[in-house]
């Protein structure tokens, strides 16, 4: 095992001259006002050790990273029936594109683009009021992170709704094809709120640890998902977790990962660690610019690429 604290510290130092690179997600007002020079990197191992640098204890909006957790919940509830309503293929289009829905009769290409995550939210909502479903998602994330202090940033949730015209369009379009079973405003209420969960890099890395340990929380012993399901979640993160930048991320980093427009990325080194990075400046396809570079550096220096050292 490499000296992980030294690695994390060196990556932070190497990237420090470039803190602030990229463009924050200015279409969501609260995210537009986040200091672009913030940077955090946290690594949690199955042995329970945590290695961190930078702003690893400052909460940020995890945005689309939350889709990993809602998909896990939906699979736990519906099993393989999830795939009757959403695909498993990379999209090749921006995360909020409506183009493929037109050609594919409202069935989203994968659960990590916005349309797919809205369908997953509809699945999680079934049998619940929006408030109950929001509470279920939040409790699940707290359970994974073993931290009851994790909360939803209500200001971000309100801003998501106020600026969510494209998501409303996607949802109504899919509703017209019969792909949603609940009222659009209820489904989007859950969607906007789970995207507005705020977590620190340390908490996020801890929450993803079950994916690095075959579906089991190695610190509590709790079985979150079966090993086969953990493998498939990781596969989806690798192929679809960075929207139309997923291939580039797999090429450069070689780890399953899920990004969010808040500048966070959750990455998994199977059997070795769960990793969270936060740098608010985004690249041209909506993924953290320096966060992606930090993970590329970590995977290379630690020899953690799933494709070999």
């Amino acid at each position: 095992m490499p000296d992980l604290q030294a690695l994390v510290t060196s990556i932070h130092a190497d990237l420090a001259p470039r803190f602030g690179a990229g463009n924050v997600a200015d279409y969501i007002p609260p995210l537009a006002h986040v200091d672009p020079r913030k940077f955090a990197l946290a690594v949690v191992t199955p042995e329970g050790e945590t290695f961190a640098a930078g702003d690893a204890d400052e909460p940020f909006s995890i945005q689309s990273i939350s889709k990993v957790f809602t998909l896990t919940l939906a699979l736990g509830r519906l099993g393989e029936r999830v795939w009757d309503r959403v695909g498993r293929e990379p999209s090749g289009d921006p995360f909020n594109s409506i183009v493929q829905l037109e050609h594919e009769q409202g069935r989203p290409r994968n659960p990590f683009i916005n349309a797919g995550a809205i369908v997953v939210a509809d699945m999680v909502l079934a049998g619940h009021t929006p408030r109950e479903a929001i509470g279920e998602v939040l409790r699940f994330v707290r359970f994974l992170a073993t931290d009851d202090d994790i909360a939803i940033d209500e200001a971000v949730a309100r801003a998501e709704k106020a600026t969510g015209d494209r998501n409303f369009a996607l949802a109504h379009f899919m509703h017209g094809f019969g792909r949603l079973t609940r009222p659009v405003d209820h489904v989007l209420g859950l969607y906007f709120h789970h995207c507005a969960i705020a977590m620190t890099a340390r908490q996020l890395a801890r929450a993803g640890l079950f994916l690095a340990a075959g579906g089991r929380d190695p610190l509590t012993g709790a079985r979150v998902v079966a090993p086969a399901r953990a493998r498939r979640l990781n596969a989806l993160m690798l192929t679809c977790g960075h929207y139309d930048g997923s291939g580039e991320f797999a090429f450069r980093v070689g780890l399953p990962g899920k990004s969010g427009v808040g500048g966070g990325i959750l990455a998994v080194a199977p059997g070795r660690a769960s990793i969270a990075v936060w740098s608010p400046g985004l690249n041209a396809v909506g993924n953290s610019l320096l966060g992606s570079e930090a993970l590329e550096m970590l995977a290379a220096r630690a020899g953690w690429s799933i494709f070999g050292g």
Side-chain angles (χ1 to χ4, degrees), residues 62 66 69-70 73 131-154 193-194 196-200 202-210 217 219-220 222 224:
I62 68 170
S66 63
F69 306 128
T70 54
L73 280 174
R131 182 179 297 274
E132 290 169 343
I134 291 165
E136 181 182 12
V137 173
L138 186 57
R139 283 191 298 273
F140 183 56
V141 173
R142 287 172 172 173
F143 163 74
L144 293 175
T146 61
D147 193 333
D148 288 339
D149 290 335
I150 295 168
I152 291 170
D153 188 326
E154 292 292 343
H193 277 81
H194 75 64
I197 292 172
M199 300 176 72
T200 69
R202 198 183 299 267
Q203 291 168 332
L204 183 58
R206 175 66 180 88
L209 190 57
F210 78 100
D217 185 328
L219 306 185
T220 67
V224 182

Side-chain angles (χ1 to χ4, degrees), residues 89-208:
E89 294 295 334
S91 66
D93 284 321
F95 56 83
N96 57 2
S97 174
I98 201 170
V99 173
Q100 285 177 331
L101 290 176
E102 177 73 39
H103 294 291
E104 297 175 5
Q105 290 75 52
R107 183 175 185 264
R109 183 66 64 88
N110 69 68
F112 292 151
I113 55 175
N114 287 18
I118 291 168
V119 170
V120 170
D122 184 68
M123 299 178 198
V124 173
L125 184 61
H128 297 294
T129 67
R131 182 179 297 274
E132 290 169 343
I134 291 165
E136 181 182 12
V137 173
L138 186 57
R139 283 191 298 273
F140 183 56
V141 173
R142 287 172 172 173
F143 163 74
L144 293 175
T146 61
D147 193 333
D148 288 339
D149 290 335
I150 295 168
I152 291 170
D153 188 326
E154 292 292 343
V156 173
R158 288 192 297 270
E160 295 262 12
K161 180 178 180 180
T163 60
D165 289 342
R166 289 194 180 188
N167 288 320
F168 276 102
L170 291 170
H172 281 291
F173 194 77
M174 290 187 294
H175 195 273
F177 276 102
R179 300 292 183 179
L180 299 183
T181 64
R182 303 287 165 175
V184 165
D185 58 332
H186 289 189
V187 176
L188 289 178
L190 171 58
Y191 177 78
F192 293 143
H193 277 81
H194 75 64
C195 286
I197 292 172
M199 300 176 72
T200 69
R202 198 183 299 267
Q203 291 168 332
L204 183 58
R206 175 66 180 88

